[in-house]
Amino acid sequence: MTDFAVWLEGSAVGVWTRESSSIWAYPTVLTLHTVGLGVLVGANAVIDFRLLGFAPRLPIPSLAPLYRFMWAGFAVNTVTGIMLFASNATTKAKQPVFYIKLTLIVLALIVTAVIRRTVERDPALRIADLSSRPGRRLAALSLLLWAGAVTAGRLMAYL
Amino acid sequence: MDGFVAWLESTRLSRGIVHYRWIWPICEIIHFIGLTLVIGIAGFFDLRLMGFMKRVPVSAARDLMPLAIAGFLLNLTTGATFFIGAPHQYVNNVAWWAKVFFLVLAGLNALFFETAVGARTMSLGAGDDTPRSAKIVGAVSLVSWLGVLYWGRMLPFIGNAF
C-alpha cells in the first residue's frame, strides 16, 4: 500500500491536483466532490425520508429518476475522490478514518441497491403505505450510513 | 467593520468557540449534513418546478420541504458559529460576500415563490407541466443554492479563510 501511495502521489494526477496553482486544480476538484456529495446523499435522502413516512402523498415509483442523479453524483465523487486521494496519498493511506469512510460508502451503496430492488419489485408499494417495517429500517440505515460517510470524510481533515 | 470584528472576537462566546477545539469540526460535519438536505430536498423540488420528473405531483414534492428548511436551519446555526468564532476570516473575504449574495438571492426567490407563484403550482399533479414562472423560480433557486455551496467551498481559496 505504501509503494502504491508513493507512486500515486508522484503521478501526474497527484502532482497536478496538489501543486497546480490553478483554481481548476485542488479547489475545483474539492468543490466538485462537495457538489457530488450533495447530489448523491441528497437524492438518497429524498427516497429515504419518503420511505420513513414523510410526504405520504408522494408516489414512490415517481422517484425512480433520482437514481440517475445518484449515479451521476457517485461518478463525480469517484473521479474527484481518486484525485484528492492521489494529491496526498501517503498521508491519507495511513488514516484509519479514510478506511472507515470507504467501508461506510460500500455498505451505504449496498443498502441503496437493496432499497432500489425492493422498491422496483413491488411498485404498487405496499411499501408505499410504508409503515412497512423492512422499508423503514432500510431507509433509516441508509441515512445513517451516508451521514456516517460524510462525517468520516469531514474528519479526514482533522484526524 | 474592524471595530465590530474586534468586539465580537472579544466576547466569551467567540473565544469559547475557538477555545474548545472540537466545536469547529463538529459544526463542519453538521454543516455538510445540512448541505445535503438543502441540495437534495430543495433541489428535488426545484427540478420538479423546472419541469423535470413530471410523474411527481408538485404539492407532494413540496411536502418534503420542511426537511430542507431543517437543513437550512442547521447550516444557519453552524454557519453563525463559524462567523462568531472567527469573524475576521469572513468580513474581508470576497468569497463570503458572494456566498451571502446567493443566500439573499435564494431567500428573495423563495419569498417570490411563496407570494406570487406557488399557489398556481400546487394543483399540478402527476404529468402536468409547470408554468414558465415556476420554471424560472426553480432554476434561480437551484443556481442560488449551488452558488452558496460553491462560494462556501471557495472561502479558503479565493478568499483568505483558514
Side-chain angles (χ1 to χ4, degrees):
Chain A
M1 189 64 199
T2 318
D3 289 346
F4 173 70
V6 169
W7 170 80
L8 194 60
E9 197 167 295
S11 70
V13 171
V15 172
W16 181 78
T17 310
R18 178 177 65 252
E19 291 176 15
S20 169
S21 58
S22 166
I23 194 76
W24 298 107
Y26 191 81
T28 300
V29 173
L30 189 62
T31 301
L32 287 174
H33 202 66
T34 313
V35 173
L37 175 167
V39 171
L40 170 59
V41 181
N44 248 295
V46 171
I47 292 174
D48 292 340
F49 279 115
R50 172 62 189 84
L51 292 177
L52 281 170
F54 286 80
R57 295 188 299 157
L58 197 54
I60 291 178
S62 74
L63 301 178
L66 288 174
Y67 285 103
R68 262 179 270 154
F69 287 94
M70 286 183 217
W71 273 119
F74 181 69
V76 167
N77 276 24
T78 304
V79 174
T80 54
I82 289 169
M83 294 174 82
L84 291 169
F85 181 79
S87 75
N88 200 4
T90 52
T91 306
K92 292 188 201 289
K94 280 188 222 138
Q95 288 185 284
V97 70
F98 171 69
Y99 298 97
I100 293 171
K101 173 178 171 170
L102 289 188
T103 306
L104 288 169
I105 290 171
V106 170
L107 294 175
L109 284 171
I110 292 169
V111 172
T112 299
V114 171
I115 289 176
R116 185 178 189 177
R117 276 254 183 120
T118 315
V119 167
E120 283 175 351
R121 200 180 295 154
D122 182 17
L125 280 263
R126 273 158 288 282
I127 290 183
D129 313 304
L130 193 120
S131 339
S132 109
R133 282 251 196 83
R136 279 188 184 232
R137 274 196 203 141
L138 283 172
L141 187 59
S142 167
L143 283 175
L144 276 176
L145 288 169
W146 283 115
V150 171
T151 301
R154 211 58 297 260
L155 287 176
M156 284 177 68
Y158 293 95
L159 298 179
Chain B
M1 205 58 137
D2 288 347
F4 171 70
V5 168
W7 167 78
L8 192 55
E9 284 181 350
S10 72
T11 61
R12 285 184 62 184
L13 183 59
S14 176
R15 288 199 207 160
I17 289 167
V18 183
H19 177 75
Y20 298 101
R21 308 203 64 116
W22 45 268
I23 291 180
W24 201 282
I26 284 177
C27 283
E28 275 193 347
I29 290 166
I30 296 169
H31 210 68
F32 272 62
I33 303 279
L35 172 169
T36 65
L37 287 175
V38 174
I39 296 290
I41 309 285
F44 168 64
F45 187 58
D46 292 340
L47 287 173
R48 181 59 184 94
L49 285 182
M50 289 166 74
F52 297 100
M53 293 193 274
K54 286 205 180 63
R55 288 160 64 207
V56 174
V58 175
S59 63
R62 203 202 191 175
D63 291 345
L64 286 173
M65 282 306 279
L67 291 167
I69 293 168
F72 176 73
L73 292 177
L74 287 178
N75 282 19
L76 193 65
T77 309
T78 49
T81 306
F82 299 138
F83 185 89
I84 294 167
H88 64 273
Q89 291 198 121
Y90 303 108
V91 295
N92 297 314
N93 188 328
V94 68
W96 187 75
W97 288 102
K99 178 170 182 170
V100 170
F101 168 81
F102 279 106
L103 273 172
V104 172
L105 184 62
L108 292 176
N109 187 60
L111 195 65
F112 178 67
F113 179 79
E114 288 299 322
T115 53
V117 181
R120 269 183 290 152
T121 65
M122 284 307 117
S123 58
L124 297 174
D128 291 338
D129 198 8
T130 45
R132 177 168 294 180
S133 56
K135 289 193 168 80
I136 294 171
V137 165
V140 170
S141 174
L142 197 58
V143 168
S144 307
W145 288 116
L146 289 173
V148 170
L149 187 159
Y150 176 80
W151 288 108
R153 201 61 273 207
M154 284 297 153
L155 284 166
F157 302 114
I158 292 180
N160 55 352
F162 316 102

